[in-house]
Amino acid sequence: MPLGHRTFLRRALRRPDLMGAPAPTGAALAAEIAAVVPDVGTPTVVELGAGTGALSDAIHARLAPGSRYVAVEVDAEFVAYLHRTRPWLEVLHGDAADLTTLLAEAGVGTVDAIISSLPWTLLPPTQRHSMLTAAAGTLGRDGVFATIITLTAIPDRVRDLVRCMEDRFIHVEATAPVWRNLPPARLYVCRGPRHAALRADEAS
């Protein structure tokens, strides 16, 4: 078993409340979510819940030199693992619930893309809502937010999550399931943060 999988499994057994899946995201789903990231210019990309970096390599390969790639990870063991294995990744040790503060302290301005594999449906509703608000608030007008949701997630919580995303983004799209992932999952891709649209209307 690869080191990353062993590290993930060890933490999943100790802290199942922090994990939304029994294994790291597979290559097919990682490639699909990486395709959401801008491949022109030098964008700023933030990954929430980087874990053992299952998504990071595919995203890093897509970014041009000069781009900024920041990962937010709450688990100290995962942070240490990422520092050892992916020295090119800027890792912020902290809770994604404190996203606005973490990015401000790191000198991160407007973000072009936020990628997430956080277990959104396991979070309390108030925390889920506030974290999505913070994520949308960091994005520029053309920013994109994309997250992985497993097909095993509780349907009522998925519906609540989708409503939250629709309240914060103009366009919300669910992709086709990736059956080769363990467990099978799909992406929700959100574009047009509503705060940015309101600012644009006020300026026109």
Side-chain angles (χ1 to χ4, degrees):
M1 181 184 292
L3 177 59
H5 283 66
R6 292 202 302 273
T7 302
F8 186 96
L9 180 60
R10 183 166 61 247
R11 297 307 291 158
L13 292 173
R14 292 179 185 172
R15 291 296 307 275
D17 56 308
L18 296 178
M19 307 299 179
T25 304
L29 187 54
E32 189 167 315
I33 201 167
V36 173
V37 173
D39 60 353
V40 295
T42 53
T44 296
V45 177
V46 174
E47 181 180 352
L48 306 181
T52 55
L55 304 178
S56 304
D57 292 338
I59 294 171
H60 178 60
R62 185 172 173 84
L63 293 174
S67 301
R68 189 170 185 183
Y69 184 7
V70 179
V72 175
E73 175 54 54
V74 70
D75 187 276
E77 186 170 345
F78 285 160
V79 170
Y81 178 83
L82 291 169
H83 281 312
R84 290 196 309 271
T85 60
R86 292 165 177 83
W88 40 262
L89 182 60
E90 184 179 349
V91 184
L92 305 181
H93 184 194
D95 195 322
D98 302 319
L99 180 63
T100 302
T101 300
L102 288 170
L103 294 184
E105 290 176 347
V108 178
T110 302
V111 175
D112 299 290
I114 296 178
I115 302 300
S116 171
S117 56
L118 292 175
W120 292 98
T121 59
L122 300 182
L123 300 174
T126 54
Q127 183 179 3
R128 186 161 63 234
H129 297 182
S130 64
M131 287 171 63
L132 279 171
T133 298
T138 68
L139 291 168
R141 181 178 183 181
D142 298 321
V144 57
F145 170 84
T147 190
I148 295 168
I149 303 297
T150 65
L151 300 190
T152 57
I154 297 173
D156 284 348
R157 296 184 181 179
V158 174
R159 284 192 287 270
D160 177 70
L161 176 63
V162 172
R163 284 194 295 269
C164 288
M165 292 189 290
E166 290 173 341
D167 286 343
R168 291 156 179 79
F169 294 91
I170 297 171
H171 303 291
V172 177
E173 178 184 3
T175 67
V178 177
W179 297 105
R180 289 177 289 170
N181 200 67
L182 178 66
R186 59 162 41 101
L187 300 183
Y188 282 85
V189 181
C190 308
R191 300 181 187 275
R194 293 190 183 277
H195 73 92
L198 288 172
R199 285 204 302 264
D201 289 342
E202 291 170 356
S204 62

